[in-house]
Amino acid sequence: GHRGCGLSRRAVMEKHYVGLDVSTKKTSVCVLSEDGEILLETDVATDPLEIYAAVKPWRRSLAKVGHETGSLSPWLHKELQRAGLPIVCLEALHTRASLAAQRNKTDRNDALGIAQLLRSGWCKTVHVKSDEAHRMRLLQDKARAVLRALQPCLHIDLCTVD
């Protein structure tokens, strides 16, 4: 049992959901209980340590922590995963469509909407590629650009180069 620790069985078993609305400088964080109660709404620097510190009180009961795809997604996702958070990346178009009905569009409301999507299960998650896959893609893009630049000199058809 949990005698002496001051927590009820319900509190120990309850799941929590975190929505992150990420921008370059700040991230809006919203923590929801499984009943939909807002437990935290705050803004922190877009830094994995700051985000982790904000959700740390619920770390043992977090069911999912979600953010949308974006330019910072690969880095932030991996760092929060390394910190032990159950992080998921949500497909941006699907998430935007789900949040479009909001009356008051703010970063905090988007974070709340993401947390609600996670809680309801009505979200589309996407795989975040490894650093190695990102490097490989970058190399392929660079090689393609070089071939395009050389195409007039080499008389090659780029449709056959891939």
Side-chain angles (χ1 to χ4, degrees):
H2 298 282
R3 207 173 326 155
C5 68
L7 294 174
S8 69
R9 179 174 283 290
R10 175 173 157 68
V12 170
M13 293 174 47
E14 186 173 37
K15 293 179 181 171
H16 297 95
Y17 301 87
V18 178
L20 304 174
D21 187 68
V22 180
S23 64
T24 308
K25 294 187 182 198
K26 75 174 174 99
T27 295
S28 292
V29 180
C30 180
V31 179
L32 279 185
S33 71
E34 61 187 339
D35 297 330
E37 180 186 352
I38 298 171
L39 303 175
L40 174 74
E41 281 186 303
T42 190
D43 293 328
V44 298
T46 298
D47 176 302
L49 295 175
E50 296 260 345
I51 295 167
Y52 181 81
V55 302
K56 188 176 180 182
W58 299 276
R59 74 186 177 282
R60 295 174 199 253
S61 60
L62 292 176
K64 288 183 183 172
V65 176
H67 64 93
E68 290 179 87
T69 55
S71 60
L72 298 175
S73 296
W75 164 74
L76 189 61
H77 190 91
K78 282 178 204 56
E79 292 300 315
L80 293 175
Q81 203 169 40
R82 280 187 195 114
L85 296 181
I87 190 83
V88 294
C89 187
L90 306 179
E91 198 276 321
L93 290 175
H94 182 266
T95 304
R96 285 282 141 223
S98 299
L99 300 178
Q102 289 182 139
R103 286 185 187 172
N104 191 6
K105 180 109 176 63
T106 64
D107 294 340
R108 281 196 176 189
N109 283 345
D110 282 354
L112 170 60
I114 290 168
Q116 288 171 332
L117 286 171
L118 292 171
R119 185 175 150 260
S120 70
W122 287 92
C123 51
K124 185 176 182 181
T125 61
V126 294
H127 174 72
V128 176
K129 294 177 185 169
S130 68
D131 290 339
E132 186 66 26
H134 281 286
R135 279 192 291 277
M136 184 59 73
R137 178 62 186 256
L138 184 64
L139 286 172
Q140 288 173 337
D141 290 347
K142 296 292 181 196
R144 217 172 268 115
V146 168
L147 286 173
R148 268 197 200 91
L150 294 174
Q151 184 181 13
C153 303
L154 300 175
H155 307 290
I156 57 172
D157 179 11
L158 280 184
C159 294
T160 60
V161 177
D162 207 1

